[in-house]
Amino acid sequence: MQEIRLSLVLFTVLLFSWPVIIQSAFSVWVMWLYPYIIWILIILLAKLDNRQRRRDDIEGKD
């Protein structure tokens, strides 16, 4: 379990910091909005997963 947590932390750090690491020539807006877009995607994916779990629970009870 500890290895999985470490892997997720490293993946998350790389995911959020790649613009800083490569110091690309993107506009300032892309650099500022990038983390927020990722957080919005994570929230949307969590909501979709939650809806799917509810559907599975409802189908399982019938």
Side-chain angles (χ1 to χ4, degrees), residues 38-62:
I38 290 177
W39 279 116
I40 290 171
L41 288 174
I42 289 171
I43 291 168
L44 290 174
L45 288 173
K47 284 186 177 185
L48 289 174
D49 185 50
N50 196 13
R51 286 182 187 163
Q52 184 62 39
R53 286 185 185 181
R54 286 185 191 163
R55 285 188 202 137
D56 291 345
D57 290 343
I58 290 169
E59 290 174 1
K61 289 179 182 177
D62 288 337

Side-chain angles (χ1 to χ4, degrees), residues 1-2 7 10-11 13-15 17 21-22 27 30 34 36 38 40 52-53 55-56 58 60 62:
M1 187 69 174
Q2 188 68 19
S7 299
L10 289 175
F11 175 74
V13 168
L14 289 174
L15 185 69
S17 63
I21 292 170
I22 62 171
S27 71
V30 172
Y34 175 74
Y36 298 110
I38 290 177
I40 290 171
Q52 184 62 39
R53 286 185 185 181
R55 285 188 202 137
D56 291 345
I58 290 169
D62 288 337

